[in-house]
Amino acid sequence: MKTEASGRREFIFRAAAVGTALSVPLGVDAAYSQGTVRKSGGHAVMVLASLRELKRYRGELAEGQLITAQGSLFEWRGGSLAALGPVSVEAFGARGDGNTDDTRAILEAVEVANTHYKSVYFPAGHYLCTERIAVRSGAFGDGAEHTLIRARNRGRQDYNFFHITGSGVYEGFTVDGAVSRDPGRWTIDNYDAFTGWNAIGISADDVVIRNCVARNSWNANLRCELANRVTIDNVEAIRSRGEMGDGFYIQRSHHVKLTNCRASDHTRIGFVCEGGASGDGFDEIADHVSFIGCQAHYGHDQGVNNGGREFNTGFWFENASQVTCSNCTALDQEEAGFICVGSSRVLSEDVGRATVQFTFTDCYARNTSRGFQGSGLEPEALGHVSFTGCVSDGNDQGFVCQSINARLSNCSYYHVGGGSQSRAVSTGREAVVAIDHFYECWQDRPAAVHDPEQDPGSVSTFSSESPRSVTVRHYRTQDGSPAVIKYRVPGENTIQLSIDDTLFSSPRLMAHCTLSNARLSGAGRILSIRAHDSEFVDLRGEINEIVVNNCRFSRTDDASPLLMIHSRHDSAEPCFFMTNCRFIGDLEQGAEFIRVDSGAEVADIPRAHDIYLTGCLFYNTGSETDRVGVELTRAPESSKVLVAGGWKSPSIRTLTGCSEQLVGAMHELA
């Protein structure tokens, strides 16, 4: 024989088995007529159209009375309702007709659901609510296109209209923050004067939100703060306003994953991930946050355009670590597509200098000022960023690296038209940058690229900020023309530059250059060169030091030397060494193979013009000539060409301008 308790448990089990929304068994015993009491398995069930009708029965309700309204099942327990399954807002009288204020019904439903750790159900409809909705055990609707929960604008700026404060699954609805209208013309007085709510806030652990829309918000459409283990899947953020008008804002949160999310029509940033300081001074970074297949589109009217401080970008990561971006897209942003910042003075020294790591894989930026930027604020605490398979399309600057360890692999830069700051890769401010297998395509390369006094180029720097070191390997251009690598370094700063398997030219290269299997076609002022297995075409300019091994020198016109050195070397130490190098050209029709000149300030310094040649070949393709192979124009009596082995064509009668300059002997080719 069944007891009362066991019979009730069996009934609840049967009810729950029917489905998430329907909590009463199907059949003749489940008729929905107002005030009807039906029997199921010998137990009375009160069936109501709305729980507001319950007050007429309060004096008659027995402990354990089962009650159902609009598909939700409750038990009368201790003088109040206890939810036995999902709680529908319609059970408390919400109309969802787009005109009725459903605030009271929604808050009553949420209170009961929260008390008993049940999810809240919003059936298809348009619900208006004036107050914050704080849900802590999950919520669901009938799809973002069918269920709309809209705030009422109270003429002020409010946070977190739909506030997720507890773990659970939240899916299938749209939340509207009712932000005020856009101005006819944006000005300093109105760009941040919007009122309304930010649509969705998350301040809880173990949350899943999916298949939702957050729209029309003051501030961010979705804010996730001080949360852990959060999954945000297929959520769309539309129209966020104010100087902090973000699509998605992740702050001081950990282990957050965003997949297939979209942010559009924002006045600051599409996706933000950052740390920060709380009101009581507690510092915390955000970490282990991933963005997969996300898209930011149409950022506009950024704060800095109207007297504010904030910029408009697709993705911005700051004071964060272990942040990854994969297959993400940033389109039509005013300032940048993707920006990551290693540390900030906002945080304390220990937190601000924490090791940071950002990873971008197969990401795409189009139609903005800068495609990708990795930077930090303190050169003593460089973070790390890697760009793999990323594409900058139609942006003035492709990849910007400052105060950070950056690695670019298999990335591309496409540029159409001019641009006073056009650079495929821009490096500066103590950065350490490695570029490997890079592809560049220019349409109408601007003249400034070839100007030694301007910054634009393939790989370049800011005129007032220099990196520590830059490595370039396997750099290619669409038409096979040389990449333009250019560094204008201020003061006494120096750069360590390594170039491998790359054809390039350089109108100005104030760097210590190490070349391997590279080809330099056209050069201006160069600090120093160390090269192996490389080729030089039209190498002429100011050079402090050159140490080359197994290299080839040639020229595109016979009027210029194969190698012209305007020495700036101001030390008595030897500085020009060439081993196993080849100098090939028509000496009779053109200038000498090597010419060394200098300014008057170093003319009298011993060895400032000396050249050391070991095993080198001087090959004249023209007729026999009295033109010299090597011309030392400054202090010719004291300057030397020191030879250890090597060969010259018989058609070259004399290697140097005067016999006193040549030290050692060179063999003639048979």
Side-chain angles (χ1 to χ4, degrees), residues 342-343 353-356 375-385 402-406 428-432 468:
S343 61
R353 292 189 177 187
T355 299
V356 295
S375 62
L377 296 178
E378 298 183 16
E380 298 81 9
L382 298 185
H384 300 266
V385 59
Q402 304 178 76
S403 296
I404 201 161
N405 285 300
R429 207 189 315 163
E430 299 293 328
V432 178
R468 295 182 190 177

Side-chain angles (χ1 to χ4, degrees), residues 70 87 124 144 222 249 258 302 311 316 371 387 393 397 419 422 443 451 455 477 526 559 569 612:
Q70 301 300 324
V87 178
L222 187 149
Y249 181 77
L258 294 89
Q302 59 186 354
F311 293 95
W316 182 294
F387 301 102
D393 183 3
Q397 297 183 55
S422 299
Q443 300 292 332
D451 188 335
D455 293 332
T477 62
I526 298 177
H569 192 67
Y612 293 76

Side-chain angles (χ1 to χ4, degrees), residues 105-267:
I106 290 173
L107 297 185
E108 287 178 353
V110 168
E111 181 181 6
V112 172
N114 287 349
T115 300
H116 300 282
Y117 301 98
K118 305 300 181 184
S119 57
V120 182
Y121 172 45
F122 292 85
H126 180 172
Y127 301 91
L128 301 180
C129 187
T130 306
E131 303 294 331
R132 177 179 292 108
I133 304 170
V135 186
R136 70 182 186 194
S137 298
F140 61 98
D142 285 331
E145 67 277 21
H146 300 299
T147 297
L148 170 62
I149 308 164
R150 185 163 66 91
R152 284 192 180 274
N153 190 315
R154 302 191 292 191
R156 65 190 195 195
Q157 297 173 339
D158 291 309
Y159 282 97
N160 299 337
F161 169 59
F162 192 93
H163 195 188
I164 297 173
T165 61
S167 61
V169 177
Y170 301 80
E171 65 177 326
F173 51 82
T174 293
V175 180
D176 191 309
V179 71
S180 49
R181 293 181 178 179
D182 290 352
R185 184 172 67 89
W186 298 75
T187 69
I188 191 172
D189 297 318
N190 62 31
Y191 82 97
D192 195 31
F194 291 90
T195 59
W197 297 77
N198 80 273
I200 297 176
I202 302 174
S203 305
D205 299 340
D206 302 302
V207 170
V208 175
I209 178 169
R210 61 195 178 203
N211 305 324
C212 291
V213 174
R215 72 186 193 191
N216 295 330
S217 292
W218 163 78
N219 204 276
N221 268 311
L222 187 149
R223 296 177 63 91
C224 177
E225 301 174 274
L226 295 170
N228 299 283
R229 299 176 301 279
V230 176
T231 298
I232 304 171
D233 181 27
N234 194 32
V235 175
E236 187 168 7
I238 307 170
R239 189 171 178 261
S240 49
R241 292 295 183 263
E243 188 165 29
M244 302 292 184
D246 303 326
F248 296 80
Y249 181 77
I250 314 298
Q251 187 195 48
R252 291 185 290 164
S253 297
H254 315 283
H255 299 280
V256 180
K257 181 179 181 181
L258 294 89
T259 307
N260 298 324
C261 294
R262 298 165 300 285
S264 62
D265 192 6
H266 42 273
T267 53

Side-chain angles (χ1 to χ4, degrees), residues 68-90:
T68 181
Q70 301 300 324
S72 296
L73 182 64
F74 306 89
E75 183 179 23
W76 187 255
R77 187 187 303 163
S80 63
L81 284 174
L84 301 180
V87 178
S88 171
V89 295
E90 288 186 346

Side-chain angles (χ1 to χ4, degrees), residues 638-669:
S638 59
S639 299
K640 303 296 182 184
V641 177
L642 299 100
V643 176
W647 299 263
K648 71 178 182 66
S649 298
S651 57
I652 303 175
R653 294 194 181 105
T654 178
L655 187 65
T656 60
C658 59
S659 58
E660 292 82 2
Q661 290 180 337
L662 183 62
V663 178
M666 183 165 284
H667 307 289
E668 287 193 356
L669 294 170

